[in-house]
């Protein structure tokens, strides 16, 4: 299967007179969840899907514990994980206390072997209904319903990443979904969290509509 792509406009100020330019970006088919990964791994070895899921769950717990201890994680064949930090703007290192240092994100640096193996991937232009990287309304609803069939919430960053949207487009689409009752907003101290709304029909994980994002 080839990787589908489409072209997106490079963001530029409204008053900019620069020539419009585009860049290529992957149009994701969907998200492969833990259950699917477990089945795929099971098909390649004698380990049961339940055992694979148990290992993946434990891997997640152990990685989080190690990152909280300040360690960098190396997963052979994939790459390196480590946390990044944020703090208020300062002019001197003596101005800030440890309690003002906060977690920002998790950085991932892929391994050279991973990049080498992905360079041989095939690419093809996505169908026209993905023009400019915009997912059509009905397809967006279906993918979102599939996601909520196995997840209880999604963040703005998660929404942006899963659909391949820019930040501006993600915010606009989230606003549209809120206004139509497809999702509800839960304010959080450091992130925006969205849950399924009353006007989005979510099916059980076993149905065809829940292919995920």
């Amino acid at each position: 299967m080839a990787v589908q792509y489409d072209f997106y406009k490079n963001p530029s100020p409204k008053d900019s007179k620069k020539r419009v330019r585009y860049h290529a970006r992957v149009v994701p088919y969907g998200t492969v969840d833990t259950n699917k990964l477990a089945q795929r791994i099971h098909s390649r070895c004698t380990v049961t899907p339940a055992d694979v899921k148990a290992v993946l769950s434990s891997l997640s717990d152990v990685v989080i514990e190690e990152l909280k201890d300040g360690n960098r994680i190396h997963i052979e064949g994939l790459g390196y994980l480590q946390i990044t930090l944020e703090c208020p703007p300062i002019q001197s290192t003596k101005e800030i206390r440890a309690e003002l240092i906060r977690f920002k994100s998790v950085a991932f640096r892929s391994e050279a072997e991973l990049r080498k193996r992905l360079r041989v991937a095939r690419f093809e232009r996505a169908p026209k209904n993905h023009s400019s990287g915009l997912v059509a309304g009905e397809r967006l609803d279906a993918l979102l319903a599939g996601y909520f069939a196995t997840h209880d919430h999604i963040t703005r960053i998660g929404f942006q990443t899963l659909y391949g949207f820019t930040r501006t487009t993600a915010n606009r689409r989230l606003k549209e979904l809120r206004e139509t009752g497809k999702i509800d907003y839960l304010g959080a101290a450091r992130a925006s969290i969205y849950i399924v709304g009353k006007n989005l029909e979510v099916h059980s994980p076993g149905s065809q509509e829940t292919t995920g994002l």
Side-chain angles (χ1 to χ4, degrees), residues 18-209:
K18 292 182 179 180
R19 183 178 178 182
V20 175
R21 296 185 182 276
Y22 295 83
H23 64 278
R25 190 187 305 167
V26 172
V27 176
Y29 287 104
T31 296
V32 178
D33 61 16
T34 303
N35 289 328
K36 181 67 173 180
L37 284 175
Q39 290 292 340
R40 291 289 306 276
I41 295 172
H42 165 66
S43 69
R44 298 177 178 225
C45 61
T46 59
V47 181
T48 68
D51 287 338
V52 175
K53 286 187 66 177
V55 170
L56 291 176
S57 177
S58 296
L59 173 65
S60 174
D61 291 339
V62 171
V63 166
I64 292 171
E65 290 172 3
E66 294 295 340
L67 290 175
K68 288 172 69 175
D69 286 340
N71 293 319
R72 184 175 66 160
I73 305 296
H74 175 217
I75 301 177
E76 188 174 347
L78 292 179
Y80 299 82
L81 294 167
Q82 69 180 67
I83 64 172
T84 60
L85 307 175
E86 62 180 1
C87 69
I90 58 173
Q91 293 183 335
S92 170
T93 56
K94 297 180 181 180
E95 296 178 14
I96 196 163
R97 303 186 304 276
E99 55 266 28
L100 296 178
I101 304 296
R102 298 183 182 277
F103 165 81
K104 181 180 180 182
S105 184
V106 176
F108 173 72
R109 182 169 65 83
S110 59
E111 205 166 68
E113 180 62 21
L114 174 64
R115 297 193 296 273
K116 179 181 178 181
R117 295 178 66 177
L118 289 176
R119 287 193 184 102
V120 299
R122 294 189 303 109
F123 301 91
E124 64 181 26
R125 182 76 181 271
K128 289 185 178 180
N129 63 319
H130 288 291
S131 181
S132 299
L134 299 180
V135 181
E138 291 184 1
R139 176 169 168 75
L140 179 65
D141 289 356
L143 293 175
L144 195 60
Y147 180 85
F148 278 126
T150 54
H151 300 76
D152 59 6
H153 73 277
I154 190 169
T155 63
R156 191 272 304 165
I157 294 176
F159 182 82
Q160 175 182 334
T161 302
L162 289 169
Y163 283 112
F165 288 148
T166 63
R167 179 171 182 169
T168 300
T169 301
N171 285 331
R172 177 166 55 82
R173 288 302 186 93
L174 286 168
K175 181 181 179 181
E176 293 171 355
L177 289 166
R178 287 178 61 191
E179 291 174 345
T180 56
K182 303 293 179 63
I183 60 173
D184 287 328
Y185 171 76
L186 294 178
R190 303 191 61 77
S192 297
I193 295 176
Y194 301 87
I195 60 175
V196 64
K198 62 182 180 180
N199 292 335
L200 183 68
E201 185 177 358
V202 178
H203 300 267
S204 62
S207 64
Q208 292 181 351
E209 290 86 349

